[in-house]
Amino acid sequence: MSEQLDLLPGYLTAHLQIALVALLVGITVSIPLGVLAARVRWLEQPVLGLASVIQTIPGLALLAIMVPLLAAAHLPSIGYLPAFIGLVLYSVLPILRNTVTGLATIDPALVEAARGVGMTPRQRLVRVEFPLALPVIIAGIRTSTVWTVGMATLSTPVGATSLGNYIFSGLQTRNLSAVLVGCIAAATLALTLDGLVRLVAIGWERRRHGMLGVALGALALLYLYTGVTLGRELVQARQERILVGAKTFTEQYILSEILAGQMTHETGMAAAVAQSLGSTVAFDALRSGEIDVYVDYSGTIWATLMHRETGATNRSDVLVEVERFLRDRHGIVVVGALGFENAYALAMRRAMAERLSIRRISDLVVHAPALSIGGDYEFFGRAEWRAVRETYGLGFAAQRSMDPSLMYQAAAQGNVDVISAFSTDGRIAALDLLILKDDRGAIPPYDAVILASARLQHRHPEAIDALRRLVGTIDGDTMRRMNLAVDEGGQSPGAVATVFLDALWRKP
Amino acid sequence: MIEVRRLTKLFGDAPAVRDVSFAVSAGELLALVGGSGCGKTTTLRMINRLIEPTSGTVLIEGQDVSALSGHVLRRGIGYVFQRVGLFPHMTVEQNVAVPLSLLGWEAGRMRGRVGEVLELVEIEPALRQRRPAELSGGQQQRVGVARALAAEPKLMLLDEPFGALDPLTRDRLQRSFLRIRKRLGLTAIFVTHDMVEALLLADRIAVMKDGRLVQVGAPQQLLASPADEVVERLLDTPRRQARAFDELMAGVAR
């Protein structure tokens, strides 16, 4: 728990940097837009309609879609920018709607009185209409504040640090206290900001200048802090720093820490980790140079990017072809294979497999129509699943997508019969699951390989050298043990990585 | 001082005011009287261009009001609404100061003038920092009158100013308004559907019906020779009430 709390200042600051700035921009965009929509009647419906449509997009999807959009526009598509833009879009609707409503519901007699005393349209807005609509507008700002602070936890999967790091990595590594710390911190922050805005509103309406001053002062301090830290980070970002990407599962968290630790150790350069990137997000980020290094799996590139037949293939052939493909087509450097495979594999409860005498996927075919299969979010959409189904003629009674961290438990408890396991997951052995042999070679090999950007190789060949020393140092058992230490042993990925590196560095 | 010439207003195809002409001389109070929908309020609003006339002209001291931009024109004309129209987010003083600040008065002079007009309408100093919602209906309308008077307008327009008040308050306000008017020598046009009010307050009465002006004249003139049935009927009510009241009083005296 104290290890979690150590992370809090960093995560909280990063969270504020995204949420507060997005909120400020959201307010400055949506209030004038609301005034305009209230003035120009024909604009009202299209503007409110558009904002509502944006609101109906699930938050995670809205942020995720920013990644390819920004990449297409040749802008930084990982990290702060996609999260920031997604949150700005999300923050607009409540403020916009309340501005329009607040202005539209003003007593017409007051508008006429304002005209009657000789105000120009602009004076009417500034002196009468806007002040009268302000309580409704502030209510909108409060709604938006709570939404935006909550939504900002979804910045993590697009590569921006936030309190969501607690939640996403905590869910993946089954670290409940991390998830709790993340949720409580985000909720407390949302309520605190909401409370401050509320105090501003009350202070204004009831002319309690003391209250108004304290609340505005507190908000100003928060913004000042956010601005200063953000500015400092922008300055630091100009200095050299290596960014290591990690996809959304335990093994990736551990490996990214190992990569970062190794490079810092050998080169003295700062290396940071961008956690919980979506699978293709990580690859796109490397290609566009927004991250410098990450670990991917040969079979994934083979099947998803090269669209190759997944039939029986030799491990080293795949590696060679993948290496050539990445270099020629994307300018990506394959530093080397770590030494283990993390393959997609079908697994089931050992007891059930023995009762039905299933050892190979071929044995499964006759029983499949009576069984259910569970897979991670991407499995059923991947080429490997299609290949397995077609090669063996498999047809299950039911299929369910679920979080990879819950999949093993689900299989062990009999909620599903077969799962798309990752072969290095320590829980396969721990929960007494059996991996079925891919006897007809439908699934390609999945060597874990370190991928680096051409830019890193060009600018810092010493970092590539440092990474090369990791090649062949992690075998399947080592990886399984490290995964299990995090998933079941309650250790943090960072701590497990440190233990591994210490042992590595002690070796002559 | 004011001349209204052949004023007409069509809302779509429906005429609300048809070819209305009258004149008001300086220091005179004219009442526009008629039933609902007769066009009296529309006529009033065309004078300060809250409503733009379809045709016809309004001259104030010989100047065509359409020559000025609407808000500049309205700053020089006091306007009192039936629904008062005080701004709820401002104090009494701030409300009264609005027309002055629009004219760009400096703060000290503005403060002095606000105090003056509030005294004139008998709003005690204790109420001046309050919000309109904390005042009674009568007090609110006094503040409304004070706001209209603040910029020392040449002309006051009043749209059923006392219509929403209880009889006692209305009476007190009417008398107070007469007093102020005499003291300041105001030129004013006020709209009412209440003939009694018109008879008591106005120097001359203009009776409207279906958007047309039926008769303009001093109260005595109207009583002596009503132009038509409409005027006759409007005068009938106060007459009957007066007669009933006399009989009642006679009964009490006996």
Side-chain angles (χ1 to χ4, degrees), chain A residues 336-393:
Chain A
L338 285 167
F340 70 91
E341 266 195 275
N342 182 6
Y344 263 121
L346 297 189
M348 64 194 299
R349 286 185 301 286
R350 183 180 298 276
M352 184 187 221
E354 278 167 5
R355 183 160 48 81
L356 302 172
S357 34
I358 298 174
R359 280 192 312 277
R360 307 169 304 170
I361 299 180
S362 298
D363 303 331
L364 189 59
V365 178
V366 286
H367 300 287
L371 303 176
S372 62
I373 181 166
D376 64 74
Y377 299 125
E378 50 183 276
F379 180 69
F380 295 117
R382 286 180 64 130
E384 292 91 328
W385 170 234
R386 209 166 43 243
V388 168
R389 244 177 15 200
E390 282 165 10
T391 309
Y392 293 94

Coordinates of all heavy atoms in Angstrom, one line a residue, chain A residues 336-393:
Chain A
G336 N 16.5 -8.0 -30.8 CA 16.7 -9.4 -30.6 C 15.6 -10.1 -29.8 O 14.7 -9.4 -29.3
A337 N 15.7 -11.4 -29.7 CA 14.6 -12.1 -29.0 C 15.1 -12.3 -27.5 O 16.3 -12.5 -27.3 CB 14.4 -13.5 -29.6
L338 N 14.1 -12.1 -26.6 CA 14.5 -12.2 -25.2 C 14.8 -13.7 -24.8 O 15.4 -13.9 -23.8 CB 13.4 -11.7 -24.3 CG 13.3 -10.1 -24.3 CD1 12.0 -9.7 -23.7 CD2 14.4 -9.5 -23.6
G339 N 14.2 -14.6 -25.5 CA 14.5 -16.0 -25.2 C 13.3 -16.8 -24.8 O 13.5 -18.0 -24.6
F340 N 12.2 -16.2 -24.7 CA 11.0 -17.0 -24.4 C 9.9 -16.7 -25.5 O 9.9 -15.7 -26.2 CB 10.5 -16.8 -23.0 CG 9.9 -15.4 -22.9 CD1 8.5 -15.2 -23.1 CD2 10.6 -14.3 -22.5 CE1 7.9 -13.9 -22.9 CE2 10.1 -13.0 -22.4 CZ 8.7 -12.9 -22.6
E341 N 8.9 -17.6 -25.5 CA 7.8 -17.4 -26.4 C 6.6 -17.2 -25.5 O 6.4 -17.8 -24.4 CB 7.5 -18.7 -27.1 CG 8.1 -18.8 -28.5 CD 7.4 -20.0 -29.3 OE1 7.8 -21.1 -29.1 OE2 6.4 -19.7 -29.9
N342 N 5.7 -16.2 -25.9 CA 4.5 -16.1 -25.2 C 3.4 -16.3 -26.2 O 2.9 -15.4 -26.9 CB 4.3 -14.7 -24.5 CG 3.0 -14.6 -23.8 OD1 2.2 -15.6 -23.7 ND2 2.7 -13.4 -23.3
A343 N 3.0 -17.5 -26.4 CA 2.1 -17.9 -27.5 C 0.7 -17.9 -27.0 O 0.4 -18.1 -25.9 CB 2.5 -19.3 -28.0
Y344 N -0.2 -17.6 -28.0 CA -1.6 -17.9 -27.8 C -1.7 -19.4 -27.7 O -1.2 -20.1 -28.5 CB -2.5 -17.4 -28.9 CG -3.0 -16.0 -28.7 CD1 -2.8 -15.0 -29.5 CD2 -3.9 -15.8 -27.6 CE1 -3.3 -13.7 -29.3 CE2 -4.5 -14.6 -27.3 CZ -4.2 -13.5 -28.2 OH -4.8 -12.3 -28.0
A345 N -2.4 -19.9 -26.7 CA -2.6 -21.3 -26.6 C -4.0 -21.6 -26.0 O -4.5 -20.8 -25.2 CB -1.5 -21.9 -25.7
L346 N -4.6 -22.7 -26.4 CA -5.9 -23.0 -25.8 C -5.6 -23.8 -24.5 O -4.8 -24.7 -24.5 CB -6.7 -23.9 -26.8 CG -7.1 -23.1 -28.1 CD1 -8.1 -24.0 -28.8 CD2 -7.7 -21.8 -27.8
A347 N -6.2 -23.5 -23.5 CA -6.0 -24.2 -22.2 C -7.4 -24.5 -21.6 O -8.4 -23.8 -21.8 CB -5.2 -23.3 -21.2
M348 N -7.4 -25.6 -20.8 CA -8.6 -26.0 -20.0 C -8.2 -26.6 -18.7 O -7.1 -26.9 -18.4 CB -9.5 -26.9 -20.9 CG -8.9 -28.2 -21.3 SD -9.8 -29.1 -22.6 CE -11.4 -29.2 -21.8
R349 N -9.2 -26.8 -17.9 CA -9.0 -27.4 -16.6 C -8.4 -28.9 -16.8 O -8.9 -29.6 -17.6 CB -10.3 -27.6 -15.8 CG -10.8 -26.3 -15.2 CD -12.0 -26.5 -14.3 NE -13.1 -27.1 -15.0 CZ -13.9 -26.4 -15.9 NH1 -13.6 -25.2 -16.2 NH2 -14.9 -27.1 -16.4
R350 N -7.3 -29.1 -16.1 CA -6.7 -30.4 -16.2 C -7.6 -31.6 -16.0 O -7.7 -32.6 -16.7 CB -5.5 -30.5 -15.3 CG -4.7 -31.8 -15.4 CD -3.5 -31.9 -14.5 NE -2.5 -30.8 -14.7 CZ -1.6 -30.9 -15.7 NH1 -1.5 -32.0 -16.4 NH2 -0.8 -29.9 -15.8
A351 N -8.4 -31.5 -14.9 CA -9.4 -32.5 -14.6 C -10.3 -32.8 -15.7 O -10.6 -34.0 -16.1 CB -10.1 -32.2 -13.3
M352 N -10.9 -31.7 -16.3 CA -11.8 -31.9 -17.3 C -11.1 -32.5 -18.6 O -11.7 -33.4 -19.2 CB -12.4 -30.6 -17.7 CG -13.5 -30.6 -18.8 SD -13.9 -29.0 -19.3 CE -15.7 -29.2 -19.4
A353 N -9.9 -32.0 -18.9 CA -9.2 -32.6 -20.0 C -8.9 -34.1 -19.9 O -9.1 -34.8 -20.8 CB -7.8 -31.8 -20.2
E354 N -8.6 -34.4 -18.7 CA -8.3 -35.9 -18.4 C -9.6 -36.7 -18.5 O -9.6 -37.8 -19.1 CB -7.6 -36.1 -17.1 CG -6.1 -35.8 -17.2 CD -5.5 -35.7 -15.8 OE1 -6.1 -35.9 -14.8 OE2 -4.3 -35.3 -15.8
R355 N -10.7 -36.2 -18.0 CA -11.9 -36.9 -18.1 C -12.4 -37.1 -19.5 O -12.8 -38.2 -19.9 CB -13.0 -36.1 -17.3 CG -14.4 -36.8 -17.2 CD -15.2 -36.2 -16.1 NE -15.2 -34.8 -16.0 CZ -16.0 -34.0 -16.8 NH1 -16.8 -34.6 -17.7 NH2 -15.9 -32.7 -16.8
L356 N -12.2 -36.1 -20.4 CA -12.6 -36.2 -21.8 C -11.4 -36.7 -22.6 O -11.6 -36.8 -23.8 CB -13.0 -34.8 -22.3 CG -14.2 -34.2 -21.5 CD1 -14.4 -32.8 -22.1 CD2 -15.5 -35.0 -21.7
S357 N -10.3 -37.1 -22.0 CA -9.1 -37.4 -22.6 C -8.7 -36.5 -23.8 O -8.6 -36.9 -25.0 CB -9.0 -38.9 -23.1 OG -10.3 -39.4 -23.4
I358 N -8.6 -35.2 -23.5 CA -8.2 -34.2 -24.4 C -6.7 -33.9 -24.1 O -6.4 -33.4 -23.0 CB -9.1 -33.0 -24.4 CG1 -10.5 -33.4 -24.7 CG2 -8.6 -31.9 -25.3 CD1 -11.5 -32.2 -24.5
R359 N -5.8 -34.0 -25.1 CA -4.5 -33.5 -24.9 C -4.1 -32.5 -26.0 O -3.2 -31.7 -25.8 CB -3.5 -34.7 -24.8 CG -3.4 -35.4 -23.5 CD -2.2 -36.4 -23.4 NE -2.2 -37.2 -24.7 CZ -2.9 -38.4 -24.8 NH1 -3.7 -38.8 -23.9 NH2 -2.7 -39.1 -25.9
R360 N -4.7 -32.7 -27.2 CA -4.3 -31.9 -28.3 C -5.6 -31.1 -28.7 O -6.7 -31.5 -28.4 CB -3.9 -32.8 -29.5 CG -2.8 -33.7 -29.1 CD -2.6 -34.7 -30.2 NE -3.8 -35.4 -30.6 CZ -4.0 -36.2 -31.6 NH1 -3.0 -36.4 -32.5 NH2 -5.1 -36.8 -31.8
I361 N -5.4 -30.1 -29.5 CA -6.6 -29.4 -30.0 C -7.5 -30.3 -30.9 O -8.7 -30.2 -30.8 CB -6.2 -28.1 -30.8 CG1 -5.3 -27.2 -29.9 CG2 -7.4 -27.3 -31.3 CD1 -4.9 -25.9 -30.6
S362 N -6.8 -31.2 -31.6 CA -7.6 -32.2 -32.4 C -8.6 -33.0 -31.6 O -9.7 -33.3 -32.0 CB -6.6 -33.1 -33.1 OG -5.8 -32.4 -34.0
D363 N -8.1 -33.3 -30.3 CA -9.0 -34.0 -29.4 C -10.3 -33.2 -29.0 O -11.3 -33.8 -28.6 CB -8.3 -34.5 -28.1 CG -7.0 -35.3 -28.5 OD1 -7.0 -36.0 -29.5 OD2 -6.1 -35.2 -27.7
L364 N -10.1 -31.9 -29.1 CA -11.1 -31.0 -28.6 C -12.3 -30.9 -29.6 O -13.5 -30.7 -29.1 CB -10.5 -29.6 -28.4 CG -11.3 -28.5 -27.8 CD1 -11.7 -28.9 -26.3 CD2 -10.5 -27.2 -27.8
V365 N -12.1 -31.2 -30.9 CA -13.1 -30.9 -31.9 C -14.4 -31.6 -31.6 O -15.4 -30.9 -31.7 CB -12.5 -31.3 -33.3 CG1 -13.6 -31.1 -34.3 CG2 -11.2 -30.6 -33.6
V366 N -14.4 -32.8 -31.2 CA -15.7 -33.5 -31.0 C -16.4 -33.0 -29.8 O -17.7 -33.1 -29.8 CB -15.5 -35.1 -30.9 CG1 -15.2 -35.7 -32.3 CG2 -14.4 -35.4 -29.9
H367 N -15.7 -32.5 -28.8 CA -16.4 -32.1 -27.6 C -16.8 -30.6 -27.7 O -17.7 -30.2 -26.9 CB -15.4 -32.2 -26.4 CG -15.0 -33.7 -26.2 ND1 -15.9 -34.6 -25.7 CD2 -13.8 -34.3 -26.4 CE1 -15.3 -35.8 -25.6 NE2 -14.0 -35.6 -26.0
A368 N -16.1 -29.8 -28.6 CA -16.3 -28.4 -28.6 C -17.8 -27.9 -28.7 O -18.2 -27.0 -28.0 CB -15.6 -27.8 -29.8
P369 N -18.7 -28.6 -29.5 CA -20.1 -28.1 -29.5 C -20.8 -28.1 -28.2 O -21.8 -27.5 -28.0 CB -20.7 -29.1 -30.5 CG -19.6 -29.6 -31.3 CD -18.4 -29.7 -30.4
A370 N -20.2 -28.8 -27.2 CA -20.9 -28.8 -25.9 C -20.1 -27.9 -24.9 O -20.5 -27.8 -23.7 CB -20.9 -30.2 -25.3
L371 N -19.0 -27.2 -25.4 CA -18.2 -26.5 -24.5 C -18.3 -25.0 -24.8 O -18.6 -24.6 -25.9 CB -16.7 -26.9 -24.6 CG -16.5 -28.4 -24.2 CD1 -15.0 -28.8 -24.5 CD2 -16.9 -28.7 -22.8
S372 N -17.8 -24.1 -23.9 CA -17.7 -22.7 -24.1 C -16.3 -22.3 -24.1 O -15.5 -22.9 -23.4 CB -18.5 -21.9 -23.1 OG -18.0 -22.2 -21.8
I373 N -16.0 -21.2 -24.9 CA -14.6 -20.7 -24.9 C -14.6 -19.2 -24.5 O -15.5 -18.5 -24.8 CB -14.0 -20.9 -26.3 CG1 -12.5 -20.4 -26.3 CG2 -14.8 -20.2 -27.4 CD1 -11.7 -20.8 -27.5
G374 N -13.5 -18.9 -23.7 CA -13.4 -17.5 -23.3 C -12.1 -17.0 -23.9 O -11.1 -17.7 -24.0
G375 N -12.0 -15.7 -24.3 CA -10.8 -15.1 -24.9 C -10.6 -13.7 -24.4 O -11.6 -13.0 -24.0
D376 N -9.4 -13.1 -24.6 CA -9.2 -11.7 -24.2 C -9.9 -10.9 -25.3 O -10.4 -11.4 -26.3 CB -7.7 -11.4 -24.1 CG -7.0 -11.6 -25.5 OD1 -7.2 -10.7 -26.3 OD2 -6.3 -12.6 -25.6
Y377 N -9.9 -9.6 -25.1 CA -10.7 -8.7 -26.0 C -10.4 -8.8 -27.5 O -11.3 -8.7 -28.3 CB -10.6 -7.2 -25.6 CG -11.0 -7.0 -24.2 CD1 -10.2 -6.4 -23.2 CD2 -12.3 -7.3 -23.7 CE1 -10.6 -6.2 -21.9 CE2 -12.7 -7.1 -22.4 CZ -11.8 -6.6 -21.5 OH -12.2 -6.4 -20.3
E378 N -9.1 -9.1 -27.8 CA -8.8 -9.1 -29.2 C -8.8 -10.4 -29.8 O -8.8 -10.6 -31.0 CB -7.5 -8.4 -29.5 CG -6.3 -8.8 -28.6 CD -5.0 -8.0 -28.9 OE1 -4.3 -8.4 -29.9 OE2 -4.7 -7.0 -28.2
F379 N -8.8 -11.5 -29.0 CA -8.5 -12.8 -29.5 C -9.5 -13.2 -30.7 O -9.1 -13.7 -31.7 CB -8.6 -13.9 -28.4 CG -8.3 -15.3 -28.9 CD1 -7.0 -15.6 -29.4 CD2 -9.3 -16.2 -28.9 CE1 -6.8 -16.9 -29.9 CE2 -9.1 -17.5 -29.4 CZ -7.8 -17.9 -29.9
F380 N -10.8 -13.1 -30.4 CA -11.7 -13.5 -31.4 C -11.7 -12.7 -32.7 O -12.3 -13.1 -33.7 CB -13.1 -13.6 -30.8 CG -13.3 -14.6 -29.7 CD1 -13.5 -14.1 -28.4 CD2 -13.0 -15.9 -29.9 CE1 -13.6 -15.0 -27.3 CE2 -13.1 -16.8 -28.8 CZ -13.4 -16.4 -27.6
G381 N -11.0 -11.6 -32.7 CA -10.9 -10.8 -33.9 C -9.6 -11.1 -34.6 O -9.4 -10.5 -35.7
R382 N -8.8 -11.9 -34.0 CA -7.4 -12.0 -34.6 C -7.3 -13.2 -35.6 O -8.1 -14.1 -35.6 CB -6.4 -12.3 -33.5 CG -6.1 -11.0 -32.7 CD -5.1 -11.3 -31.6 NE -3.8 -11.7 -32.1 CZ -2.7 -11.1 -31.7 NH1 -2.7 -10.1 -30.8 NH2 -1.5 -11.5 -32.2
A383 N -6.3 -13.1 -36.4 CA -6.1 -14.1 -37.5 C -5.9 -15.5 -36.9 O -6.2 -16.5 -37.5 CB -4.9 -13.7 -38.4
E384 N -5.2 -15.5 -35.7 CA -4.9 -16.8 -35.1 C -6.2 -17.6 -34.8 O -6.2 -18.8 -35.0 CB -4.1 -16.6 -33.8 CG -2.7 -16.1 -34.0 CD -2.7 -14.6 -33.9 OE1 -3.7 -13.9 -34.3 OE2 -1.7 -14.0 -33.4
W385 N -7.2 -16.9 -34.3 CA -8.4 -17.6 -34.0 C -9.1 -18.2 -35.2 O -9.5 -19.3 -35.3 CB -9.4 -16.7 -33.2 CG -10.8 -17.1 -33.0 CD1 -11.9 -16.5 -33.4 CD2 -11.2 -18.3 -32.4 NE1 -13.0 -17.2 -33.0 CE2 -12.6 -18.4 -32.4 CE3 -10.6 -19.4 -31.8 CZ2 -13.4 -19.4 -31.9 CZ3 -11.3 -20.5 -31.3 CH2 -12.7 -20.4 -31.3
R386 N -9.0 -17.4 -36.3 CA -9.6 -17.8 -37.6 C -8.9 -19.1 -38.0 O -9.5 -20.0 -38.4 CB -9.5 -16.7 -38.6 CG -10.6 -16.7 -39.6 CD -10.7 -15.4 -40.4 NE -9.4 -14.9 -40.8 CZ -8.9 -13.7 -40.4 NH1 -9.6 -13.0 -39.6 NH2 -7.7 -13.4 -40.9
A387 N -7.5 -19.0 -37.9 CA -6.7 -20.1 -38.4 C -7.0 -21.4 -37.5 O -7.2 -22.5 -38.1 CB -5.2 -19.7 -38.2
V388 N -7.1 -21.2 -36.2 CA -7.4 -22.4 -35.4 C -8.8 -23.0 -35.8 O -8.9 -24.2 -35.9 CB -7.4 -22.0 -33.9 CG1 -8.0 -23.1 -33.0 CG2 -6.0 -21.6 -33.4
R389 N -9.7 -22.1 -35.9 CA -11.1 -22.6 -36.3 C -11.1 -23.3 -37.6 O -11.7 -24.4 -37.7 CB -12.0 -21.4 -36.3 CG -13.1 -21.5 -35.3 CD -14.0 -20.2 -35.3 NE -13.8 -19.5 -36.6 CZ -14.1 -18.3 -36.8 NH1 -14.6 -17.6 -35.8 NH2 -13.9 -17.7 -37.9
E390 N -10.4 -22.7 -38.6 CA -10.5 -23.3 -39.9 C -9.6 -24.6 -40.0 O -10.0 -25.6 -40.6 CB -10.0 -22.3 -40.9 CG -11.1 -21.3 -41.3 CD -10.6 -20.1 -42.0 OE1 -9.4 -20.1 -42.4 OE2 -11.4 -19.1 -42.1
T391 N -8.4 -24.5 -39.4 CA -7.5 -25.7 -39.4 C -8.2 -26.9 -38.8 O -8.1 -28.0 -39.3 CB -6.2 -25.4 -38.7 OG1 -5.7 -24.1 -39.2 CG2 -5.2 -26.5 -39.0
Y392 N -8.8 -26.7 -37.6 CA -9.3 -27.9 -36.9 C -10.8 -28.1 -37.1 O -11.4 -29.1 -36.7 CB -9.1 -27.7 -35.4 CG -7.6 -27.7 -35.0 CD1 -6.9 -26.6 -34.9 CD2 -7.0 -29.0 -34.8 CE1 -5.5 -26.6 -34.6 CE2 -5.6 -29.0 -34.4 CZ -4.9 -27.8 -34.3 OH -3.6 -27.9 -34.0
G393 N -11.5 -27.1 -37.7 CA -13.0 -27.2 -37.8 C -13.6 -27.1 -36.4 O -14.6 -27.9 -36.1

